Each structure stands twice: as structure tokens, then as C-alpha cells.
Amino acid sequence: TLSAGSAMISERWGRLDALVNCAGVFERSDAVSMEYEHWRRVMDIMLSGCVNMTRLAVNAMKDGGRIIHVSSIHDERAEHGASSYAVAKAGIDQFCRAMALELADRRILVNAIAPGFVNTPMSVVDGQNELESAGFLEKYVRGQQIPLRRAAEPEEIASVAFFLAGKDASYITGQVITVDGGLTITF
């Protein structure tokens, strides 16, 4: 339960200062033809997981804190076969904004990071690393659809979370920060 989880955090560490919600799962999905429960599984893991972890964290934050959600550029972009992923990520961003309002009086800042391509195990689709595919190299690297001509490394996303959790981000709340090497500024 949420209260048991908050009690465990308080008992073990005294308080919680920051939470980074970074759950990601991708399954090809078709909102019309596939079973709704299967389509919704991705949303439940990412969006419902985000809500539940936030509720747990807030109960363990005594005097202010930081909540950082990792969403995706899919929050505003669509990809064929990725409707459940896109809906979950868009929902996370809107949840971020709503919680920023609801938790402001408690001095809890809530923000999100929207990465583009990141070199993680999620880049492996059907046994192939999409970041090494001819299509990715042609379109995003040589075609410069990603101006920085590469995917991000996980540490580059983590450093933004570290910034948002720190004192230098004390006046930032309700924001979605895009970290995509410039992908979303191209067409």
C-alpha cells in the first residue's frame, strides 16, 4: 500500500527529497484491432506506474521535494504502431503539469524530461538495434534530422534529471524539457 511504502521510506531514510519516474516499455500497438487490455498494458506500466510512484513519493516528502518524470518526444509526436506508448507519454506530461499545480503549496516541484532517441536496451527492436540500422543512419545521422547526428547517451538524460533535482532548478515547475539533439526542430 502507499502508506506502508511511505512509512518504509521514512523509517529507512527519514524523508524523500527527489523521485525520478523512469519507466519505459514499448510494444507495437494498434488501438483499433488489438485487445484493449493488451493495448492498455503499456499505459498501465508507464502512466499508472507514474501516478502510483508520485503518490508514494509525495507522502514521504516532508518539506518540499522534486518529482521528475521521464516521458518522450512521443508526447507530441505520433509513430505508426505506437499509440499506447504515445498516449502514456502524453498523459505523463499532463500529469506533470497538474501535479505542479497541486503540489506547489507543499514546495514540491514537478517537471518532466522528453528524450528523443537514447542509446538504451529499448533501442533494440525485434533483435536489431534501431540506432545502428541503415534507415536510422541515413535519415537521422547523414540526413541530419537529428542536428547533433547521434542518439543521446543515458547519462545525458540523467544529467538533466540531476539538474532538475538540484538547487539551481528552484524556480522550475510544470515544465517538459525536450532533450533530443534537436530532432523536434527539424522536418
Side-chain angles (χ1 to χ4, degrees):
T1 68
L2 291 175
S3 58
S6 296
M8 181 198 71
I9 290 168
S10 296
E11 185 178 300
R12 189 164 195 179
W13 293 290
R15 69 173 198 242
L16 180 66
D17 296 315
L19 166 72
V20 178
N21 275 315
C22 187
V25 61
F26 181 84
E27 293 180 15
R28 289 276 170 219
S29 61
D30 183 320
V32 175
S33 67
M34 68 191 311
E35 292 290 325
Y36 178 71
E37 291 307 314
H38 181 75
W39 183 85
R40 188 177 155 162
R41 176 176 132 52
V42 171
M43 290 184 31
D44 284 344
I45 290 169
M46 291 190 296
L47 182 56
S48 297
C50 177
V51 170
N52 287 326
M53 290 303 297
T54 298
R55 293 175 61 188
L56 176 84
V58 166
N59 287 330
M61 291 181 173
K62 305 292 186 216
D63 185 29
R66 308 296 169 91
I67 298 174
I68 301 137
H69 305 297
V70 178
S71 66
S72 169
I73 61 170
H74 281 87
D75 61 353
E76 295 181 350
R77 309 253 176 322
E79 179 182 1
H80 184 76
S83 58
S84 59
Y85 185 85
V87 169
K89 293 303 189 175
I92 289 169
D93 286 354
Q94 194 59 19
F95 181 66
C96 162
R97 294 177 191 103
M99 289 298 91
L101 290 174
E102 290 184 25
L103 299 173
D105 288 344
R106 293 187 58 184
R107 298 183 330 117
I108 297 173
L109 308 180
V110 185
N111 292 290
I113 302 167
F117 291 101
V118 182
N119 187 13
T120 69
M122 276 189 66
S123 298
V124 178
V125 179
D126 298 327
Q128 181 183 357
N129 187 333
E130 69 178 339
L131 304 179
E132 297 170 356
S133 70
F136 180 86
L137 294 173
E138 184 61 33
K139 180 177 183 178
Y140 296 106
V141 177
R142 287 188 286 278
Q144 295 183 13
Q145 192 156 358
I146 299 175
L148 295 185
R149 295 182 176 190
R150 64 179 178 81
E153 292 300 322
E155 297 81 8
E156 292 173 300
I157 307 308
S159 66
V160 177
F162 184 77
F163 165 73
L164 289 171
K167 65 179 181 163
D168 290 338
S170 62
Y171 201 64
I172 302 172
T173 195
Q175 301 304 305
V176 178
I177 299 172
T178 302
V179 183
D180 68 353
L183 175 60
T184 55
I185 63 170
T186 64
F187 64 93

